[in-house]
């Protein structure tokens, strides 16, 4: 197998691992809504963490065997793989709008990354790393605070997913910088950057987990998948001297690809908002229906139905015909005196007179 074919194979397996991890994360978010960020007690969540780690390792190895212009666009297939896998293994089918949004986001991202021309790799100095880390954590904190003040679950999830994608993207930038500077004497020198990478990766994982709460699978996953490489590419264009291929034409095509990717994210967001709106309307109609019939039944029900059983005096079992009203027991009816009792009383009266 050639190096290029091996790179493609590793990239595809990496995308499948990322997709499986996202499906498990969304399942955990549904099962543990009270712990949106770190459900440490949930074994499935640790399986999702392992799958995401496997995807990251395979992605790095694929970069070692193949060009960045090929490996990065193939990573966009994560969302395309996730939808059929969720339908097959979790029984959660995506609608036509979700599929269109996922394909648009993937195609736009692939086009954008394919048009990015990597220049000679260089490192960032200490000041640039400090500014980049401060900007990354500041943007993440701002998105997190805005997300907490948003009432719509889908919008909140998209903001959290955007913060997660940004964290992963900046972590990739620091990883690239460390890889360029790495020597046998570098571990202690690179320790601050390694700490930043670990913190960004942990923040990205926790934010992405929270993004799946109440928003389904497609919209948060597509946001993370798109924002991650776009942020990394933006930093590469501004700090690493990278540029778009084919000059002005390539720049225009790259902008068009970005618009297509953004349109896919908008489709996924509106699709999920429409689903939640329909569900809320259906639940509201069900509550109104139950309330209307419940009030009518209470109004038509006789008051005696609400009395405890012990408060109703039963009819005399010896009565010939207890007089019972409509649904209301009026009590016992005095029993008629028998013929023998009448004769005895009549005889006693006659004898006494």
């Amino acid at each position: 197998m050639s190096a290029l074919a091996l790179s493609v194979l590793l990239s595809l397996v990496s995308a499948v691992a990322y997709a499986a991890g996202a499906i498990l994360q969304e399942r955990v978010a549904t099962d543990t809504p009270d712990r949106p960020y770190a459900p440490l007690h949930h074994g499935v969540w640790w399986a999702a963490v392992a799958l995401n780690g496997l995807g990251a390792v395979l992605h790095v190895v694929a970069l070692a065997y193949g060009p960045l212009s090929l490996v990065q666009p193939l990573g966009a297939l994560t969302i395309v793989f996730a939808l059929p896998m969720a339908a097959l293994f979790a029984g959660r089918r995506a609608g036509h709008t979700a599929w269109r949004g996922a394909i648009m986001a993937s195609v736009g991202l692939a086009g954008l990354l394919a048009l990015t021309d990597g220049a000679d790799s260089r490192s960032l100095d200490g000041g640039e790393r400090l500014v980049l880390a401060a900007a990354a954590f500041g943007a993440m904190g701002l998105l997190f605070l805005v997300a907490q003040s948003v009432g719509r679950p889908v919008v909140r999830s998209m903001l959290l997913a955007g913060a997660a994608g940004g964290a992963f993207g900046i972590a990739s930038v620091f990883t690239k910088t460390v890889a360029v500077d790495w020597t046998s004497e570098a571990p202690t020198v690179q320790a601050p950057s390694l700490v930043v990478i670990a913190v960004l990766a942990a923040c990205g994982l926790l934010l992405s987990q929270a993004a799946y709460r109440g928003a389904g699978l497609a919209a948060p996953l597509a946001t993370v998948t798109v924002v991650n490489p776009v942020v990394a590419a933006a930093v590469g264009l501004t700090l690493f001297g990278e540029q778009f291929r084919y000059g002005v034409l390539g720049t225009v095509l790259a902008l068009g690809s970005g618009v297509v990717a953004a349109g896919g994210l908008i489709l996924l967001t509106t699709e999920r908002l429409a689903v939640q709106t329909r569900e809320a309307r259906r639940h509201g109609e069900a509550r109104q229906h139950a309330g209307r019939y419940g009030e009518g039944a209470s109004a038509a029900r006789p008051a005696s139905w609400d009395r405890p059983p012990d408060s109703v005096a039963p009819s005399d079992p010896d009565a010939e015909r207890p007089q019972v009203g409509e649904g209301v027991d009026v009590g016992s009816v005095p029993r008629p005196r028998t013929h023998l009792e009448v004769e005895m009383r009549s005889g006693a009266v006659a004898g006494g007179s």
Side-chain angles (χ1 to χ4, degrees), residues 7-35:
S7 175
V8 172
L9 178 60
L10 291 173
S11 299
L12 295 177
V13 177
S14 172
V16 171
Y18 277 131
I23 293 171
L24 294 183
Q25 282 186 279
E26 195 271 337
R27 174 185 169 185
V28 172
T30 303
D31 294 342
T32 58
D34 57 328
R35 296 188 179 183

PDB file of all heavy atoms in Angstrom, residues 7-35:
ATOM      1  N   SER A   7      -2.627   7.077   3.925  1.00  0.00           N
ATOM      2  CA  SER A   7      -3.102   8.336   4.508  1.00  0.00           C
ATOM      3  C   SER A   7      -4.613   8.478   4.347  1.00  0.00           C
ATOM      4  O   SER A   7      -5.313   8.885   5.284  1.00  0.00           O
ATOM      5  CB  SER A   7      -2.383   9.504   3.847  1.00  0.00           C
ATOM      6  OG  SER A   7      -2.899  10.731   4.309  1.00  0.00           O
ATOM      7  N   VAL A   8      -5.122   8.136   3.178  1.00  0.00           N
ATOM      8  CA  VAL A   8      -6.567   8.217   2.945  1.00  0.00           C
ATOM      9  C   VAL A   8      -7.311   7.237   3.850  1.00  0.00           C
ATOM     10  O   VAL A   8      -8.336   7.575   4.463  1.00  0.00           O
ATOM     11  CB  VAL A   8      -6.887   7.925   1.463  1.00  0.00           C
ATOM     12  CG1 VAL A   8      -8.393   7.805   1.254  1.00  0.00           C
ATOM     13  CG2 VAL A   8      -6.326   9.030   0.578  1.00  0.00           C
ATOM     14  N   LEU A   9      -6.809   6.010   3.956  1.00  0.00           N
ATOM     15  CA  LEU A   9      -7.451   5.010   4.801  1.00  0.00           C
ATOM     16  C   LEU A   9      -7.478   5.461   6.263  1.00  0.00           C
ATOM     17  O   LEU A   9      -8.515   5.361   6.945  1.00  0.00           O
ATOM     18  CB  LEU A   9      -6.719   3.677   4.669  1.00  0.00           C
ATOM     19  CG  LEU A   9      -7.253   2.530   5.540  1.00  0.00           C
ATOM     20  CD1 LEU A   9      -8.692   2.224   5.196  1.00  0.00           C
ATOM     21  CD2 LEU A   9      -6.378   1.289   5.393  1.00  0.00           C
ATOM     22  N   LEU A  10      -6.356   5.967   6.756  1.00  0.00           N
ATOM     23  CA  LEU A  10      -6.302   6.437   8.143  1.00  0.00           C
ATOM     24  C   LEU A  10      -7.248   7.614   8.359  1.00  0.00           C
ATOM     25  O   LEU A  10      -7.884   7.722   9.413  1.00  0.00           O
ATOM     26  CB  LEU A  10      -4.874   6.825   8.508  1.00  0.00           C
ATOM     27  CG  LEU A  10      -3.857   5.685   8.613  1.00  0.00           C
ATOM     28  CD1 LEU A  10      -2.443   6.230   8.814  1.00  0.00           C
ATOM     29  CD2 LEU A  10      -4.224   4.739   9.749  1.00  0.00           C
ATOM     30  N   SER A  11      -7.351   8.487   7.381  1.00  0.00           N
ATOM     31  CA  SER A  11      -8.253   9.636   7.500  1.00  0.00           C
ATOM     32  C   SER A  11      -9.702   9.185   7.582  1.00  0.00           C
ATOM     33  O   SER A  11     -10.494   9.727   8.369  1.00  0.00           O
ATOM     34  CB  SER A  11      -8.059  10.583   6.313  1.00  0.00           C
ATOM     35  OG  SER A  11      -6.749  11.087   6.272  1.00  0.00           O
ATOM     36  N   LEU A  12     -10.077   8.199   6.767  1.00  0.00           N
ATOM     37  CA  LEU A  12     -11.449   7.697   6.790  1.00  0.00           C
ATOM     38  C   LEU A  12     -11.764   7.014   8.122  1.00  0.00           C
ATOM     39  O   LEU A  12     -12.837   7.223   8.700  1.00  0.00           O
ATOM     40  CB  LEU A  12     -11.671   6.734   5.624  1.00  0.00           C
ATOM     41  CG  LEU A  12     -11.581   7.341   4.221  1.00  0.00           C
ATOM     42  CD1 LEU A  12     -11.759   6.260   3.160  1.00  0.00           C
ATOM     43  CD2 LEU A  12     -12.622   8.438   4.043  1.00  0.00           C
ATOM     44  N   VAL A  13     -10.827   6.198   8.620  1.00  0.00           N
ATOM     45  CA  VAL A  13     -11.051   5.534   9.906  1.00  0.00           C
ATOM     46  C   VAL A  13     -11.112   6.571  11.031  1.00  0.00           C
ATOM     47  O   VAL A  13     -11.915   6.438  11.972  1.00  0.00           O
ATOM     48  CB  VAL A  13      -9.939   4.503  10.178  1.00  0.00           C
ATOM     49  CG1 VAL A  13     -10.127   3.855  11.545  1.00  0.00           C
ATOM     50  CG2 VAL A  13      -9.944   3.425   9.097  1.00  0.00           C
ATOM     51  N   SER A  14     -10.293   7.607  10.926  1.00  0.00           N
ATOM     52  CA  SER A  14     -10.344   8.684  11.917  1.00  0.00           C
ATOM     53  C   SER A  14     -11.716   9.361  11.918  1.00  0.00           C
ATOM     54  O   SER A  14     -12.283   9.631  12.990  1.00  0.00           O
ATOM     55  CB  SER A  14      -9.253   9.708  11.619  1.00  0.00           C
ATOM     56  OG  SER A  14      -9.389  10.846  12.448  1.00  0.00           O
ATOM     57  N   ALA A  15     -12.266   9.631  10.730  1.00  0.00           N
ATOM     58  CA  ALA A  15     -13.584  10.259  10.648  1.00  0.00           C
ATOM     59  C   ALA A  15     -14.663   9.359  11.247  1.00  0.00           C
ATOM     60  O   ALA A  15     -15.578   9.837  11.929  1.00  0.00           O
ATOM     61  CB  ALA A  15     -13.916  10.593   9.194  1.00  0.00           C
ATOM     62  N   VAL A  16     -14.559   8.043  11.009  1.00  0.00           N
ATOM     63  CA  VAL A  16     -15.525   7.109  11.588  1.00  0.00           C
ATOM     64  C   VAL A  16     -15.415   7.099  13.114  1.00  0.00           C
ATOM     65  O   VAL A  16     -16.429   7.069  13.829  1.00  0.00           O
ATOM     66  CB  VAL A  16     -15.305   5.693  11.017  1.00  0.00           C
ATOM     67  CG1 VAL A  16     -16.147   4.670  11.761  1.00  0.00           C
ATOM     68  CG2 VAL A  16     -15.648   5.667   9.532  1.00  0.00           C
ATOM     69  N   ALA A  17     -14.190   7.127  13.631  1.00  0.00           N
ATOM     70  CA  ALA A  17     -13.997   7.145  15.090  1.00  0.00           C
ATOM     71  C   ALA A  17     -14.589   8.420  15.697  1.00  0.00           C
ATOM     72  O   ALA A  17     -15.261   8.373  16.735  1.00  0.00           O
ATOM     73  CB  ALA A  17     -12.511   7.035  15.427  1.00  0.00           C
ATOM     74  N   TYR A  18     -14.341   9.554  15.060  1.00  0.00           N
ATOM     75  CA  TYR A  18     -14.923  10.809  15.538  1.00  0.00           C
ATOM     76  C   TYR A  18     -16.454  10.743  15.517  1.00  0.00           C
ATOM     77  O   TYR A  18     -17.129  11.209  16.447  1.00  0.00           O
ATOM     78  CB  TYR A  18     -14.447  11.972  14.678  1.00  0.00           C
ATOM     79  CG  TYR A  18     -13.103  12.525  15.056  1.00  0.00           C
ATOM     80  CD1 TYR A  18     -12.116  12.732  14.085  1.00  0.00           C
ATOM     81  CD2 TYR A  18     -12.796  12.864  16.370  1.00  0.00           C
ATOM     82  CE1 TYR A  18     -10.867  13.255  14.421  1.00  0.00           C
ATOM     83  CE2 TYR A  18     -11.553  13.385  16.713  1.00  0.00           C
ATOM     84  CZ  TYR A  18     -10.602  13.578  15.738  1.00  0.00           C
ATOM     85  OH  TYR A  18      -9.377  14.096  16.076  1.00  0.00           O
ATOM     86  N   ALA A  19     -17.012  10.191  14.439  1.00  0.00           N
ATOM     87  CA  ALA A  19     -18.473  10.094  14.317  1.00  0.00           C
ATOM     88  C   ALA A  19     -19.050   9.199  15.406  1.00  0.00           C
ATOM     89  O   ALA A  19     -20.072   9.532  16.033  1.00  0.00           O
ATOM     90  CB  ALA A  19     -18.851   9.570  12.934  1.00  0.00           C
ATOM     91  N   ALA A  20     -18.417   8.049  15.655  1.00  0.00           N
ATOM     92  CA  ALA A  20     -18.900   7.147  16.707  1.00  0.00           C
ATOM     93  C   ALA A  20     -18.810   7.813  18.071  1.00  0.00           C
ATOM     94  O   ALA A  20     -19.726   7.685  18.905  1.00  0.00           O
ATOM     95  CB  ALA A  20     -18.089   5.851  16.690  1.00  0.00           C
ATOM     96  N   GLY A  21     -17.723   8.530  18.330  1.00  0.00           N
ATOM     97  CA  GLY A  21     -17.598   9.241  19.598  1.00  0.00           C
ATOM     98  C   GLY A  21     -18.689  10.286  19.771  1.00  0.00           C
ATOM     99  O   GLY A  21     -19.239  10.451  20.870  1.00  0.00           O
ATOM    100  N   ALA A  22     -19.020  10.996  18.695  1.00  0.00           N
ATOM    101  CA  ALA A  22     -20.078  12.007  18.772  1.00  0.00           C
ATOM    102  C   ALA A  22     -21.434  11.375  19.050  1.00  0.00           C
ATOM    103  O   ALA A  22     -22.242  11.916  19.816  1.00  0.00           O
ATOM    104  CB  ALA A  22     -20.116  12.806  17.473  1.00  0.00           C
ATOM    105  N   ILE A  23     -21.708  10.240  18.437  1.00  0.00           N
ATOM    106  CA  ILE A  23     -22.980   9.553  18.672  1.00  0.00           C
ATOM    107  C   ILE A  23     -23.100   9.150  20.138  1.00  0.00           C
ATOM    108  O   ILE A  23     -24.157   9.306  20.768  1.00  0.00           O
ATOM    109  CB  ILE A  23     -23.098   8.330  17.744  1.00  0.00           C
ATOM    110  CG1 ILE A  23     -23.214   8.783  16.284  1.00  0.00           C
ATOM    111  CG2 ILE A  23     -24.301   7.475  18.129  1.00  0.00           C
ATOM    112  CD1 ILE A  23     -23.129   7.644  15.291  1.00  0.00           C
ATOM    113  N   LEU A  24     -22.012   8.628  20.701  1.00  0.00           N
ATOM    114  CA  LEU A  24     -22.038   8.251  22.115  1.00  0.00           C
ATOM    115  C   LEU A  24     -22.176   9.473  23.014  1.00  0.00           C
ATOM    116  O   LEU A  24     -22.882   9.429  24.032  1.00  0.00           O
ATOM    117  CB  LEU A  24     -20.772   7.476  22.468  1.00  0.00           C
ATOM    118  CG  LEU A  24     -20.608   6.098  21.806  1.00  0.00           C
ATOM    119  CD1 LEU A  24     -19.340   5.416  22.300  1.00  0.00           C
ATOM    120  CD2 LEU A  24     -21.823   5.214  22.084  1.00  0.00           C
ATOM    121  N   GLN A  25     -21.519  10.569  22.660  1.00  0.00           N
ATOM    122  CA  GLN A  25     -21.649  11.789  23.450  1.00  0.00           C
ATOM    123  C   GLN A  25     -23.094  12.295  23.451  1.00  0.00           C
ATOM    124  O   GLN A  25     -23.610  12.737  24.487  1.00  0.00           O
ATOM    125  CB  GLN A  25     -20.719  12.875  22.903  1.00  0.00           C
ATOM    126  CG  GLN A  25     -19.270  12.711  23.301  1.00  0.00           C
ATOM    127  CD  GLN A  25     -18.439  13.893  22.857  1.00  0.00           C
ATOM    128  OE1 GLN A  25     -18.031  13.984  21.703  1.00  0.00           O
ATOM    129  NE2 GLN A  25     -18.170  14.811  23.771  1.00  0.00           N
ATOM    130  N   GLU A  26     -23.735  12.251  22.297  1.00  0.00           N
ATOM    131  CA  GLU A  26     -25.129  12.699  22.223  1.00  0.00           C
ATOM    132  C   GLU A  26     -26.035  11.790  23.048  1.00  0.00           C
ATOM    133  O   GLU A  26     -26.971  12.255  23.696  1.00  0.00           O
ATOM    134  CB  GLU A  26     -25.575  12.733  20.764  1.00  0.00           C
ATOM    135  CG  GLU A  26     -26.852  13.497  20.509  1.00  0.00           C
ATOM    136  CD  GLU A  26     -28.082  12.627  20.629  1.00  0.00           C
ATOM    137  OE1 GLU A  26     -27.938  11.398  20.473  1.00  0.00           O
ATOM    138  OE2 GLU A  26     -29.181  13.160  20.871  1.00  0.00           O
ATOM    139  N   ARG A  27     -25.751  10.499  23.052  1.00  0.00           N
ATOM    140  CA  ARG A  27     -26.540   9.566  23.866  1.00  0.00           C
ATOM    141  C   ARG A  27     -26.361   9.857  25.352  1.00  0.00           C
ATOM    142  O   ARG A  27     -27.334   9.856  26.121  1.00  0.00           O
ATOM    143  CB  ARG A  27     -26.108   8.134  23.556  1.00  0.00           C
ATOM    144  CG  ARG A  27     -26.759   7.093  24.446  1.00  0.00           C
ATOM    145  CD  ARG A  27     -26.215   5.713  24.172  1.00  0.00           C
ATOM    146  NE  ARG A  27     -26.637   4.760  25.184  1.00  0.00           N
ATOM    147  CZ  ARG A  27     -26.227   3.499  25.252  1.00  0.00           C
ATOM    148  NH1 ARG A  27     -25.392   3.031  24.345  1.00  0.00           N
ATOM    149  NH2 ARG A  27     -26.645   2.702  26.216  1.00  0.00           N
ATOM    150  N   VAL A  28     -25.119  10.118  25.770  1.00  0.00           N
ATOM    151  CA  VAL A  28     -24.864  10.437  27.169  1.00  0.00           C
ATOM    152  C   VAL A  28     -25.558  11.739  27.556  1.00  0.00           C
ATOM    153  O   VAL A  28     -26.111  11.867  28.655  1.00  0.00           O
ATOM    154  CB  VAL A  28     -23.350  10.520  27.429  1.00  0.00           C
ATOM    155  CG1 VAL A  28     -23.068  11.031  28.829  1.00  0.00           C
ATOM    156  CG2 VAL A  28     -22.707   9.153  27.241  1.00  0.00           C
ATOM    157  N   ALA A  29     -25.546  12.722  26.657  1.00  0.00           N
ATOM    158  CA  ALA A  29     -26.211  13.991  26.939  1.00  0.00           C
ATOM    159  C   ALA A  29     -27.705  13.803  27.140  1.00  0.00           C
ATOM    160  O   ALA A  29     -28.327  14.490  27.956  1.00  0.00           O
ATOM    161  CB  ALA A  29     -25.951  14.974  25.801  1.00  0.00           C
ATOM    162  N   THR A  30     -28.296  12.854  26.424  1.00  0.00           N
ATOM    163  CA  THR A  30     -29.727  12.573  26.589  1.00  0.00           C
ATOM    164  C   THR A  30     -29.999  11.829  27.889  1.00  0.00           C
ATOM    165  O   THR A  30     -31.000  12.092  28.562  1.00  0.00           O
ATOM    166  CB  THR A  30     -30.229  11.746  25.399  1.00  0.00           C
ATOM    167  OG1 THR A  30     -29.962  12.458  24.178  1.00  0.00           O
ATOM    168  CG2 THR A  30     -31.729  11.490  25.504  1.00  0.00           C
ATOM    169  N   ASP A  31     -29.098  10.921  28.265  1.00  0.00           N
ATOM    170  CA  ASP A  31     -29.312  10.106  29.466  1.00  0.00           C
ATOM    171  C   ASP A  31     -28.997  10.852  30.760  1.00  0.00           C
ATOM    172  O   ASP A  31     -29.565  10.526  31.806  1.00  0.00           O
ATOM    173  CB  ASP A  31     -28.444   8.831  29.401  1.00  0.00           C
ATOM    174  CG  ASP A  31     -28.874   7.906  28.272  1.00  0.00           C
ATOM    175  OD1 ASP A  31     -30.016   8.065  27.790  1.00  0.00           O
ATOM    176  OD2 ASP A  31     -28.072   7.053  27.865  1.00  0.00           O
ATOM    177  N   THR A  32     -28.092  11.826  30.707  1.00  0.00           N
ATOM    178  CA  THR A  32     -27.680  12.545  31.921  1.00  0.00           C
ATOM    179  C   THR A  32     -27.809  14.049  31.717  1.00  0.00           C
ATOM    180  O   THR A  32     -26.803  14.768  31.628  1.00  0.00           O
ATOM    181  CB  THR A  32     -26.226  12.188  32.285  1.00  0.00           C
ATOM    182  OG1 THR A  32     -25.384  12.525  31.165  1.00  0.00           O
ATOM    183  CG2 THR A  32     -26.088  10.728  32.616  1.00  0.00           C
ATOM    184  N   PRO A  33     -29.040  14.568  31.614  1.00  0.00           N
ATOM    185  CA  PRO A  33     -29.197  16.012  31.401  1.00  0.00           C
ATOM    186  C   PRO A  33     -28.754  16.851  32.586  1.00  0.00           C
ATOM    187  O   PRO A  33     -28.517  18.047  32.441  1.00  0.00           O
ATOM    188  CB  PRO A  33     -30.708  16.152  31.152  1.00  0.00           C
ATOM    189  CG  PRO A  33     -31.322  14.977  31.841  1.00  0.00           C
ATOM    190  CD  PRO A  33     -30.326  13.864  31.707  1.00  0.00           C
ATOM    191  N   ASP A  34     -28.655  16.233  33.776  1.00  0.00           N
ATOM    192  CA  ASP A  34     -28.242  16.992  34.955  1.00  0.00           C
ATOM    193  C   ASP A  34     -26.732  17.196  35.019  1.00  0.00           C
ATOM    194  O   ASP A  34     -26.249  17.990  35.832  1.00  0.00           O
ATOM    195  CB  ASP A  34     -28.717  16.270  36.220  1.00  0.00           C
ATOM    196  CG  ASP A  34     -28.196  14.842  36.301  1.00  0.00           C
ATOM    197  OD1 ASP A  34     -28.027  14.219  35.233  1.00  0.00           O
ATOM    198  OD2 ASP A  34     -27.970  14.353  37.419  1.00  0.00           O
ATOM    199  N   ARG A  35     -25.967  16.503  34.168  1.00  0.00           N
ATOM    200  CA  ARG A  35     -24.510  16.660  34.138  1.00  0.00           C
ATOM    201  C   ARG A  35     -24.081  16.925  32.705  1.00  0.00           C
ATOM    202  O   ARG A  35     -23.602  16.030  32.006  1.00  0.00           O
ATOM    203  CB  ARG A  35     -23.818  15.412  34.680  1.00  0.00           C
ATOM    204  CG  ARG A  35     -24.124  15.143  36.149  1.00  0.00           C
ATOM    205  CD  ARG A  35     -23.277  14.026  36.701  1.00  0.00           C
ATOM    206  NE  ARG A  35     -23.549  13.786  38.111  1.00  0.00           N
ATOM    207  CZ  ARG A  35     -22.910  12.896  38.852  1.00  0.00           C
ATOM    208  NH1 ARG A  35     -21.954  12.159  38.319  1.00  0.00           N
ATOM    209  NH2 ARG A  35     -23.210  12.743  40.128  1.00  0.00           N
TER     210      ARG A  35
END
